[in-house]
Amino acid sequence: GNTESVTDASVLDEPSQPYGMDEPYEPYEMDLMEMEPEDDCRNQSCMYFYASKESTLLFKSWKIDTDFEFWMAIGGIVTFGLLYEMVKSFRACLIMEAQANAALAENKPILLTDGDSRRRRNNEPEAVEFLQHILCTLFYCLEWTLFYLLLLVVIGFNVWNLIAAVTGVSAGYLMFGKGRVN
């Protein structure tokens, strides 16, 4: 058979282009050394810690430009850390109370075939137990929501926000964490 081989030098020397691209690929080069530190992390995400009073907090529209906004943001982050520890400790108290109620002698049998006899021994209607569980679940969701929002604040890589978050959580544990089982 007659086989044709492509030996055209111009076809072999050109890099293959993805389908649909008319112009050759030119990588975008950005010189990070020419950017000012505030602009570098203010308008795009940073992958290193920086210390600046000007930043963006959680949302693009929450820009911190003035000293007053900076201190309000720091105070808010500390308060968020306090609130997180308060919710965490309150939920732990609810769990300890439920465990203490379950440890009573009249509540010891767990596997009963007759549900009515269990409710009579327990002196708490089943609806109250369900509402307590709903309350614990809501506090669990609130705890994790606050935790992840604090995490997102820290992931912004601003040193001042990190210090504020750690200060708030530490002060919250100091105030609310006494006696809490971790």
Side-chain angles (χ1 to χ4, degrees), residues 75-182:
I77 294 168
V78 169
T79 304
F80 233 64
L82 287 168
L83 184 63
Y84 166 72
E85 282 296 324
M86 184 180 73
V87 168
K88 187 174 181 178
S89 295
F90 184 71
R91 192 175 74 84
C93 287
L94 289 176
I95 291 171
M96 286 191 306
E97 185 178 321
Q99 288 173 346
N101 287 340
L104 295 174
E106 59 199 27
N107 294 340
K108 290 255 185 209
I110 294 173
L111 299 174
L112 291 176
T113 56
D114 184 69
D116 292 333
S117 65
R118 181 175 181 216
R119 266 188 248 117
R120 270 183 272 149
R121 288 183 191 175
N122 205 356
N123 291 333
E124 287 186 352
E126 193 172 289
V128 173
E129 289 177 9
F130 179 72
L131 289 175
Q132 287 175 341
H133 184 66
I134 292 293
L135 183 66
C136 284
T137 302
L138 290 174
F139 274 99
Y140 182 78
C141 291
L142 181 60
E143 176 187 338
W144 278 97
T145 301
L146 291 171
F147 171 76
Y148 279 115
L149 286 174
L150 273 173
L151 181 70
L152 288 173
V153 166
V154 172
I155 288 178
F157 290 102
N158 188 325
V159 172
W160 302 117
N161 294 348
L162 170 69
I163 292 170
V166 170
T167 301
V169 170
S170 299
Y173 184 78
L174 179 68
M175 291 169 55
F176 305 112
K178 184 177 181 182
R180 182 175 75 199
V181 178
N182 291 327

Side-chain angles (χ1 to χ4, degrees), residues 23 41 44 61 96 125 167:
E23 297 178 15
C41 296
Q44 62 188 20
S61 62
M96 286 191 306
T167 301

